[in-house]
Amino acid sequence: MKKISILGSTGSIGEQALDVARLHGYEITALTANSSVDIIEKQIREFHPKKVALVNEKAAEDLKIRIKDTDTKVLAGVSGVCECAAMETDTLLNSIVGMAGLEPTLTAINEGTEIALANKETLVAGGRLVTDTAKKKNVRILPVDSEHSAIFQSLQGNKHSQVKRLILTASGGPFFGKTIDDLKDVTVEQALAHPNWSMGAKITIDSATMMNKGLELIEAVWLFSVKPSDIDILVHRQSVVHSLVEYDDHSVMAQLGVPDMRVPIQYALTYPDRYNSPAKQLHLEDYATLTFEKPDYETFSAINLCKRAIEKGGLYPAIANSANEKANELFRQGKIKFLEIADLVASALENINSKEEYTLTDVLEKDKETKEFVTASV
Ligand code: NAD
Ligand code: MG
């Protein structure tokens, strides 16, 4: 029986990963979350993990009392999450949202544990660090993000040296077709209404600004060792073609399916095998048309900010990511307007210094500096 640990098990990806685990009877080694006591208690009673960790210390105390009739050990804080990440298991699925996922990812890689990675922010911020450590430890990083899973699937059986370009598809989010003027006063509620995917709040806002596609471009650079200029983006409103790879002979391979994250989550856990899925089958005849078009780079300026950040390299992607994390949060709290998110990312990239080579401490310090800069700018 396969053993997995899930970091961020109470979130959108985490719960869908547990659906996959339930279907295939996986053993759960460890689960972690920020503070959702009710959900994680249910998960403990169903999956009997050896250890769980809650970042919030008070929530962890509460959980300890609630589950004292079980054999699960409760840990607290970031160190507790890292202790869970260090446990021996077959695959560690990281579905934490944001930079908080970086240290646990590195911890698991250093233990030699295979990673199924949903937590894209940490690959954006610490791409060189994560991929170099993985190479050194001979650890595989399997993509969970649907576009990157589609690319990974489309690369199977082909030579990397014969790849001409990657084509990332984007749903376009709730504001597709809108002008900058239309977006001046959009509300949090409007931005949270994603047409095709039901996801956590942070990534849903990232989809509305299309920062998500910029982060995914950087994620693809690290996962597939390609140049940013070798990645194109196409808006595909139906979210059926999850991404494509073009080869030197101009053949294009793609992976298709209904929009259901349990497909890429499962592939990361069963690779290279394919088993029965909890997701629905795709019936192409149900779709009148599949459409593809170039993004509106002027209205959704976050995409090009990310592209420039990865082209400049060093800590620029980390700065773009941290500025966005803070600005995204401030928008959700009603403290800034929608268009200010990309403006703040641009301003952070202009005003904060990068350096070419970096350590984990550099990334964490830059994260702090950038978030303080964004907070002070509003
Ligand atoms: P979510 O907000 O639904 O869940 C986040 C999880 O992380 C929760 O379990 C939460 O308790 C935990 N968490 C939050 N803050 C934490 C912290 N400081 N330290 C440790 N744990 C913390 O988010 P989600 O939508 O499941 O997304 C998770 C990751 O997967 C993100 O990086 C996102 O970009 C990526 N992703 C999500 C989807 C999707 O469909 N939801 C698709 C592709 C990629
Ligand atoms: Mg994606």
Side-chain angles (χ1 to χ4, degrees):
M1 196 175 7
K2 191 179 171 92
K3 288 186 293 179
I4 63 170
S5 290
I6 304 177
L7 309 185
S9 66
T10 60
S12 163
I13 293 288
E15 294 242 72
Q16 294 181 82
L18 285 170
D19 268 358
V20 172
R22 191 179 288 118
L23 178 70
H24 298 296
Y26 292 159
E27 189 180 315
I28 304 295
T29 311
L31 298 173
T32 78
N34 191 32
S35 60
S36 314
V37 181
D38 289 339
I39 305 176
I40 209 154
E41 180 185 352
K42 256 197 223 143
Q43 294 177 347
I44 292 166
R45 296 195 182 281
E46 178 177 0
F47 292 98
H48 316 289
K50 290 196 183 69
K51 290 183 189 173
V52 301
L54 290 178
V55 179
N56 184 301
E57 314 254 345
K58 247 186 101 212
E61 279 311 310
D62 180 16
L63 182 67
K64 239 181 234 172
I65 297 164
R66 287 209 209 178
I67 61 142
K68 61 174 186 293
D69 59 312
T70 71
D71 295 329
T72 299
K73 184 171 174 201
V74 180
L75 304 163
V78 175
S79 62
V81 175
C82 287
E83 190 177 326
C84 285
M87 288 173 74
E88 199 206 317
T89 195
D90 295 327
T91 303
L92 175 114
L93 174 76
N94 187 345
S95 53
I96 290 175
V97 59
M99 278 292 291
L102 184 55
E103 283 174 270
T105 297
L106 289 170
T107 303
I109 295 175
N110 277 314
E111 292 298 323
T113 306
E114 180 173 273
I115 308 287
L117 192 70
N119 178 223
K120 69 187 84 181
E121 293 91 346
T122 64
L123 204 52
V124 170
R128 168 76 62 211
L129 205 62
V130 173
T131 51
D132 279 357
T133 314
K135 242 178 253 156
K136 210 168 67 199
K137 294 282 170 179
N138 202 15
V139 161
R140 219 163 33 193
I141 300 178
L142 295 155
V144 169
D145 213 348
S146 59
E147 295 78 2
H148 304 75
S149 175
I151 289 169
F152 181 60
Q153 295 184 55
S154 304
L155 287 168
Q156 298 303 311
N158 291 291
K159 288 196 178 139
H160 191 279
S161 59
Q162 294 165 359
V163 170
K164 198 176 179 88
R165 64 176 174 141
L166 306 182
I167 304 163
L168 283 175
T169 54
S171 71
F175 300 141
F176 171 76
K178 301 277 190 233
T179 63
I180 293 183
D181 213 41
D182 294 334
L183 296 181
K184 280 200 173 114
D185 293 312
V186 291
T187 63
V188 176
E189 203 185 7
Q190 287 169 319
L192 283 174
H194 197 280
N196 303 344
W197 300 94
S198 158
M199 310 178 285
K202 193 258 177 186
I203 185 177
T204 306
I205 299 301
D206 285 347
S207 302
T209 57
M210 292 194 78
M211 181 74 188
N212 185 50
K213 216 43 60 177
L215 297 176
E216 290 185 353
L217 183 144
I218 301 172
E219 187 187 7
V221 166
W222 291 115
L223 281 173
F224 306 115
S225 311
V226 294
K227 297 197 292 285
S229 57
D230 291 337
I231 305 173
D232 281 339
I233 296 169
L234 282 180
V235 174
H236 165 51
R237 294 294 285 159
Q238 298 77 23
S239 298
V240 166
V241 179
H242 296 304
S243 279
L244 315 89
V245 179
E246 183 183 18
Y247 290 91
D248 285 340
D249 62 354
H250 297 179
S251 264
V252 178
M253 311 287 279
Q255 184 257 346
L256 284 69
V258 298
D260 187 323
M261 285 307 295
R262 291 173 300 183
V263 176
I265 291 168
Q266 178 169 304
Y267 191 67
L269 297 174
T270 64
Y271 169 80
D273 289 305
R274 295 181 181 276
Y275 299 128
N276 183 31
S277 168
K280 287 202 181 105
Q281 275 180 277
L282 172 66
H283 293 292
L284 275 174
E285 67 274 22
D286 294 347
Y287 295 81
T289 44
L290 295 181
T291 56
F292 301 90
E293 56 199 286
K294 287 222 180 300
D296 173 354
Y297 287 108
E298 224 173 289
T299 305
F300 300 98
S301 58
I303 307 174
N304 278 336
L305 291 174
C306 288
K307 190 164 182 184
R308 245 173 287 142
I310 183 71
E311 279 165 354
K312 285 167 80 175
L315 285 166
Y316 283 111
I319 294 167
N321 175 66
S322 297
N324 176 63
E325 263 185 52
K326 192 67 201 175
N328 179 313
E329 183 189 319
L330 291 171
F331 172 68
R332 279 181 283 141
Q333 292 169 343
K335 292 183 180 154
I336 61 168
K337 293 202 168 195
F338 182 75
L339 291 173
E340 284 179 84
I341 301 175
D343 290 347
L344 286 164
V345 174
S347 169
L349 285 169
E350 263 166 44
N351 289 290
I352 296 177
N353 293 327
S354 165
K355 61 178 183 182
E356 196 46 42
E357 302 294 327
Y358 55 82
T359 62
L360 174 61
T361 310
D362 292 326
V363 179
L364 298 177
E365 278 175 8
K366 205 44 77 175
D367 177 54
K368 195 160 167 273
E369 180 188 347
T370 304
K371 286 175 176 167
E372 282 168 5
F373 170 84
V374 169
T375 307
S377 307
V378 302

